[in-house]
Amino acid sequence: MALTKNGNLELRVCVATCNRADYSKLAPIMFGIKSHPDDFELDVVVLGSHLIDDYGNTFRMIEQDDFDISSKLHTIVRGEDEAAMVESVGLALVKLPDVLQRLRPDLVIIHGDRFDALALATSAALMNIRILHLEGGEVSGTIDDSIRHAISKLAHYHACCTRRAEQHLISMCEDHSRILLAGCPSYDKLLSPHNSEVYLDIIKSWLGDDVKDHDYIVALQHPVTTDIQHSIKIYGLMLDALVSFNKKTLILFPNIDAGSKEMVRVMRKKSIETHPNFRAVKHIPFEQFIQLVCHAGCMIGNSSCGVREAGAFGTPVVNLGTRQTGRETGENVLHVRDADSHNKIYHALQLQFGKRYPCSKIYGDGNAVPRIVKFLQSIDLNKPLQKTFCFPLVKDSISQDIDHILEKQSALAVDLGGTNLRVAIVCSQGIVVKKYTQPNPKTFEPRMQLILKMCENAMQDAVSLNCRILGVGIGGGIIQHNELIHGSTFCGAELGHIMVSLDGPECSCGSQGCIEAYASGLALQREAKKMNDDELLKGEGLTTKLSEPITAAHLINAARLGNAKAVAVLNKASTALGVGIINILHTLNPSLVILSGVLASIYEEPVKHLIASRALLPAQSTKVVTSDLEEPALLGAASMVLDYATRRTY
């Protein structure tokens, strides 16, 4: 780490690349780092199959991209069997310490799940060098899973591609604050505009002038190291199916894993390299390869490219065997997990070839690199190197510390009601320890000041009540996979402001016709006051004292006693709420609707009737019940805090 000309600290980053596949993910990041010379100093280390003639000496494409290679390490022990993979890891472990000691990087960026990457992570971790791991948390179903998860445990920071991968890392007790949901860096290129004239030239250069767009196949099959013989058998069946299918096919040689030598023998035994329909190649530059995948009639094999990058184009894919079991895929992928005959594979090709599917962005939105660069800029090297794990609380803590034994883990819950603001201290047993209620001011500033004051008072009281406040939860939201949905501008789940009429009553939000403007306690109170002013609220058995404030309860009581005007107001409110709930049912399709609050019993039957008569048929059977909890909004808000905080306790 050094000072830049501006006096800022410069992060020395080492990017280590092992093969053509990981370079396609690392190169965009390397360009991003290179574009910020005042923030970073970049070193590039090349090892693994990049330096092998049989695999195309792919280190040259790194040099062609104008990156200076700081060190080239020959780490592959040839043999292409299990023992050779282990020996390659050992050789890398012998050679890497000298390189890392010479370069002295602040951080090493490592991609994926290869055995070479495991050697890199082991070396960097033991030499007290911070590690950023790309694509951790994913599941594919082979030994790659074990290697990927092992690298994640050694890594200090994570840049993952999908929400599910992020959740897997959290489940593995990785610190959420050190996990970046970035998307796949290769998608930054995949989702950029493509020149139509260029891709036609690329197709012709690899497959000949007579090949048309969407009328050829890309095949890429790798060994499955946990079941080598079976994967070799599937490879032979795939080749037989492709020969029978009689379409121009670009086939890439398998990677260097154990079993690849036998797969190449199968290819040569079937004379694939000399077959007029096939073009067998060892390496294609990534920019050209993605164009070939984008415009293929189908891709076949077990490469992660088929379930990841191909989805960005909607290219149909036939995925063979178990190598990608567990990967998230778009609808473009047809799995043939038990590929026990070439007829089954042939039939899958018939079903897929020539189709086009919707483009999938499961693995990225094209903005991964800016996120990763910003994440790197935020790394504070003054923080302790030793990583900590966030273990979930699996049972009540048994402690010999009397303060801890007596202390109640709690949350502050806030409910912003139309009439009142409420704050409560809620302990982990779901008990409201203390509640605070104040009338809701009419304008924003006084409202915020009052909320802060109420929270401040609650925090002070929590000390005397022996409650340790773990966080603050605010009622109202949509929870998916135990996480709160914020929306792009933190305006998600404003369910009370679903509009059910364009010219309805004015709402506190400034609009008209919101559910809240019809069905909230404040809305009913407003209607009750209007009726009282017009002397329409009185009736047989109903009296109001001059000093008594008019509330929604007066309106409800009048309706129960047969006041036609009050009944009409409640019917309109019930209809507005029912329409709003139907909109929610059609959007989220829950199995249960729970109404809570003092008005829940009033609305229950009308809402049920409206859903049964006006919702789409699949939603008409949705169950509607009322909550028997005393403070459901406060308890729900507190539960989010308590669940989040306790499942990530150190």
Side-chain angles (χ1 to χ4, degrees):
M1 191 159 182
L3 287 174
T4 68
K5 60 185 179 182
N6 297 323
N8 299 321
L9 290 174
E10 183 182 67
L11 191 72
R12 185 158 190 169
V13 179
C14 174
V15 176
T17 173
C18 309
N19 54 60
R20 66 191 181 196
D22 78 15
Y23 181 66
S24 69
K25 314 295 178 65
L26 292 167
I29 300 172
M30 292 160 65
F31 282 113
I33 290 171
K34 195 174 180 180
S35 68
H36 290 78
D38 290 342
D39 296 319
F40 306 107
E41 182 177 347
L42 176 64
D43 290 310
V44 180
V45 174
V46 173
L47 63 159
S49 59
H50 273 307
L51 303 169
I52 297 178
D53 290 342
D54 289 352
Y55 291 85
N57 282 323
T58 50
F59 73 90
R60 294 196 181 98
M61 65 182 179
I62 303 172
E63 295 175 334
Q64 288 168 0
D65 285 340
D66 202 26
F67 290 113
D68 295 327
I69 298 176
S70 303
S71 195
K72 297 175 185 173
L73 298 179
H74 292 270
T75 58
I76 297 299
V77 176
R78 299 307 299 268
E80 286 78 24
D81 59 12
E82 296 95 328
M85 291 168 65
V86 178
E87 290 169 354
S88 296
V89 171
L91 184 58
L93 287 171
V94 169
K95 293 187 174 185
L96 280 166
D98 286 341
V99 174
L100 294 176
Q101 205 159 31
R102 173 171 57 84
L103 297 177
R104 296 187 178 279
D106 299 309
L107 179 132
V108 175
I109 299 180
I110 299 173
H111 168 269
D113 49 28
R114 307 289 301 144
F115 58 84
D116 332 61
L118 180 60
L120 280 162
T122 303
S123 301
L126 291 174
M127 295 181 70
N128 290 327
I129 299 169
R130 287 171 168 81
I131 299 167
L132 171 65
H133 184 209
L134 303 178
E135 296 187 9
E138 295 184 20
V139 178
S140 56
T142 66
I143 190 64
D144 292 352
D145 276 348
S146 300
I147 295 174
R148 187 186 309 112
H149 299 335
I151 296 172
S152 291
K153 301 315 295 179
L154 292 168
H156 303 81
Y157 307 95
H158 310 272
C160 59
C161 297
T162 70
R163 180 72 65 183
R164 187 183 298 177
E166 179 188 39
Q167 291 300 317
H168 288 164
L169 288 168
I170 293 170
S171 299
M172 291 163 63
C173 305
E174 294 299 308
D175 185 347
H176 197 179
S177 68
R178 294 191 171 201
I179 302 171
L180 171 68
L181 178 55
C184 182
S186 65
Y187 267 53
D188 289 21
K189 281 191 175 182
L190 301 185
L191 299 178
S192 62
H194 300 296
N195 188 300
S196 58
E197 295 179 2
V198 171
Y199 85 73
L200 286 172
D201 291 341
I202 292 170
I203 293 172
K204 290 176 181 179
S205 68
W206 289 99
L207 287 163
D209 291 340
D210 57 337
V211 177
K212 297 177 182 178
D213 193 7
H214 305 314
D215 196 36
Y216 61 91
I217 296 171
V218 174
L220 179 53
Q221 179 92 354
H222 299 305
V224 176
T225 57
T226 49
D227 196 354
I228 293 173
Q229 291 307 311
H230 185 62
S231 65
I232 293 169
K233 178 185 175 182
I234 292 177
Y235 188 66
L237 294 174
M238 179 191 76
L239 295 177
D240 290 341
L242 287 169
V243 169
S244 301
F245 201 70
N246 198 30
K247 286 288 182 183
K248 281 286 188 180
T249 301
L250 180 69
I251 184 166
L252 280 83
F253 277 62
N255 64 21
I256 202 167
D257 284 352
S260 61
K261 186 186 294 183
E262 288 83 353
M263 290 175 74
V264 172
R265 286 198 191 105
V266 171
M267 182 197 293
R268 286 174 176 159
K269 186 176 180 180
K270 294 180 182 294
S271 303
I272 295 299
E273 289 173 289
T274 58
H275 193 287
N277 272 352
F278 286 83
R279 173 79 189 278
V281 297
K282 294 176 179 176
H283 167 67
I284 300 174
F286 181 71
E287 290 78 7
Q288 297 182 36
F289 181 65
I290 61 173
Q291 294 282 12
L292 289 161
V293 171
C294 174
H295 298 280
C298 184
M299 184 175 184
I300 188 170
N302 65 2
S303 168
S304 62
C305 177
V307 298
R308 295 170 64 97
E309 282 85 355
F313 309 124
T315 300
V317 172
V318 176
N319 181 58
L320 303 177
T322 60
R323 189 171 184 264
Q324 302 302 334
T325 299
R327 290 272 194 196
E328 297 174 69
T329 64
E331 59 183 289
N332 64 308
V333 179
L334 175 63
H335 295 280
V336 187
R337 293 188 173 92
D338 186 18
D340 53 1
S341 71
H342 93 275
N343 284 333
K344 187 182 288 186
I345 299 172
Y346 182 91
H347 186 57
L349 283 168
Q350 282 184 316
L351 290 172
Q352 288 287 78
F353 188 81
K355 284 187 177 179
R356 300 314 292 177
Y357 289 90
C359 297
S360 166
K361 294 186 179 180
I362 293 174
Y363 287 95
D365 61 2
N367 297 296
V369 171
R371 293 188 186 109
I372 292 171
V373 169
K374 188 175 181 180
F375 188 63
L376 290 172
Q377 289 169 330
S378 72
I379 291 175
D380 184 357
L381 296 181
N382 293 316
K383 288 187 176 180
L385 173 70
Q386 177 60 51
K387 68 182 289 187
T388 51
F389 300 104
C390 302
F391 296 105
L393 189 68
V394 294
K395 62 179 180 179
D396 290 339
S397 178
I398 300 173
S399 173
Q400 298 305 310
D401 185 322
I402 189 65
D403 291 331
H404 184 76
I405 293 171
L406 297 176
E407 181 182 72
K408 294 189 282 287
Q409 291 186 324
S410 306
L412 280 191
V414 181
D415 181 18
L416 282 67
T419 307
N420 294 314
L421 298 177
R422 297 185 301 158
V423 172
I425 302 171
V426 182
C427 70
S428 56
Q429 286 74 37
I431 298 170
V432 178
V433 179
K434 189 169 183 179
K435 185 171 69 174
Y436 310 78
T437 304
Q438 293 285 347
N440 194 348
K442 302 296 183 184
T443 55
F444 175 77
E445 289 297 336
R447 186 177 300 157
M448 295 307 299
Q449 290 172 8
L450 181 57
I451 291 173
L452 293 174
K453 181 62 177 176
M454 293 170 73
C455 289
E456 184 181 335
N457 292 340
M459 291 292 291
Q460 291 172 354
D461 290 345
V463 176
S464 60
L465 294 168
N466 201 28
C467 294
R468 179 159 66 97
I469 303 298
L470 301 177
V472 180
I474 300 178
I478 296 175
I479 313 301
Q480 185 178 33
H481 304 310
N482 296 319
E483 296 291 341
L484 181 67
I485 294 177
H486 299 99
S488 61
T489 58
F490 290 82
C491 190
E494 286 290 355
L495 304 182
H497 296 287
I498 292 175
M499 294 178 64
V500 293
S501 172
L502 293 177
D503 56 358
E506 290 187 5
C507 181
S508 59
C509 70
S511 186
Q512 289 179 272
C514 302
I515 297 176
E516 194 169 293
Y518 283 104
S520 67
L522 197 61
L524 296 186
Q525 181 186 39
R526 183 183 63 240
E527 293 298 320
K529 286 180 178 178
K530 285 181 183 177
M531 289 178 62
N532 187 59
D533 291 343
D534 295 337
E535 297 189 350
L536 297 174
L537 195 59
K538 296 178 182 178
E540 185 178 346
L542 179 67
T543 59
T544 56
K545 300 175 184 177
L546 291 176
S547 59
E548 182 182 0
I550 301 299
T551 66
H554 291 101
L555 180 75
I556 294 167
N557 200 15
R560 283 174 177 161
L561 292 172
N563 185 312
K565 177 67 174 175
V567 170
V569 171
L570 284 182
N571 285 342
K572 185 179 287 188
S574 301
T575 301
L577 178 62
V579 171
I581 290 175
I582 288 172
N583 288 334
I584 295 170
L585 296 183
H586 292 171
T587 304
L588 301 177
N589 192 27
S591 60
L592 179 67
V593 173
I594 303 174
L595 303 176
S596 65
V598 295
L599 299 173
S601 60
I602 304 295
Y603 291 137
E604 181 180 4
E605 289 306 319
V607 167
K608 283 181 179 178
H609 176 74
L610 203 63
I611 290 173
S613 61
R614 301 299 294 272
L616 290 173
L617 187 61
Q620 287 180 6
S621 60
T622 305
K623 191 175 180 180
V624 179
V625 299
T626 57
S627 172
D628 56 2
L629 294 174
E630 185 181 348
E631 296 289 355
L634 292 171
L635 292 175
S639 70
M640 285 300 297
V641 173
L642 293 168
D643 176 64
Y644 185 90
T646 55
R647 67 189 164 107
R648 295 176 186 160
T649 302
Y650 289 95

